[in-house]
Amino acid sequence: FGSLREAFRRVGYVNAERDYDYLDARPQFHAELLRQASALTNHIGTLGAVAAFDPETKVMTIDGRLTISLRIARYYVPRHHAPAWLVHRRSIEPAGLILALRLDEETNREVTDYFLLPLSEMATQRINLTATPRSRFASYRSPTMEHVVRAIMAKVATLPT
């Protein structure tokens, strides 16, 4: 059947209260994360720093001093809440920062902007990024890859060598 969800669909069981389409999109999310990580690594390299990305842990290390977990922030509309982008974190996070790659509202495939979040902002296993500029996370937003690379390099510059 390809998946348990497909098996349930074939026997006529459909849970109208839940949308599980994101499960089918996981390969695309993973491919986009790898593409973005490669672009970030190359961009950081052009600035004279060394960036390495581990696809297993989804962690990027810059100059051996700064670690950033990369996460896809997919758009979703919860039943009784405003639309948001969901960012998950691990219970034991190997990095001090999380770079959330926020996807577009229409297709959930194109990265529209970036949020470089300190781990201290992720007190729970997940957070919701909203479209409002008054969000508590708005100050961590970078509209382009160039902006987020500048923010990353500014953090690296403050760390001891």
Side-chain angles (χ1 to χ4, degrees):
F1 299 110
S3 69
L4 185 57
R5 192 169 69 98
E6 178 61 17
F8 281 133
R9 189 191 65 73
R10 287 188 183 189
V11 297
Y13 176 77
V14 177
N15 184 347
E17 293 182 13
R18 297 286 312 257
D19 177 10
Y20 292 102
D21 288 344
Y22 71 92
L23 294 173
D24 296 332
R26 280 186 177 168
Q28 289 87 10
F29 293 161
H30 183 70
E32 181 61 19
L33 186 97
L34 292 178
R35 190 182 77 70
Q36 291 284 323
S38 177
L40 278 167
T41 300
N42 291 336
H43 200 111
I44 290 168
T46 64
L47 298 175
V50 176
F53 180 71
D54 180 355
E56 293 297 314
T57 62
K58 298 180 178 88
V59 172
M60 181 175 288
T61 304
I62 297 99
D63 282 349
R65 299 184 291 159
L66 181 69
T67 55
I68 303 170
S69 288
L70 275 64
R71 297 283 182 273
I72 291 290
R74 70 177 175 84
Y75 180 78
Y76 80 115
V77 181
R79 274 185 63 190
H80 301 293
H81 298 285
W85 288 262
L86 184 65
V87 181
H88 287 280
R89 71 168 268 190
R90 296 182 182 109
S91 53
I92 299 174
E93 190 62 58
L97 295 168
I98 292 178
L99 179 60
L101 312 169
R102 191 162 70 160
L103 299 178
D104 68 286
E105 296 176 30
E106 295 296 317
T107 66
N108 250 343
R109 295 190 193 258
E110 300 289 325
V111 173
T112 60
D113 54 12
Y114 306 82
F115 284 76
L116 189 58
L117 303 163
L119 197 56
S120 60
E121 288 288 354
M122 300 262 318
T124 61
Q125 291 300 102
R126 68 180 204 174
I127 61 167
N128 295 325
L129 299 172
T130 59
T132 176
R134 294 184 310 271
S135 162
R136 79 175 215 235
F137 303 112
S139 64
Y140 300 113
R141 180 181 174 272
S142 293
T144 67
M145 183 175 289
E146 288 76 24
H147 286 91
V148 80
V149 167
R150 270 191 250 137
I152 289 169
M153 296 309 291
K155 291 198 179 295
V156 169
T158 65
L159 298 173
T161 55

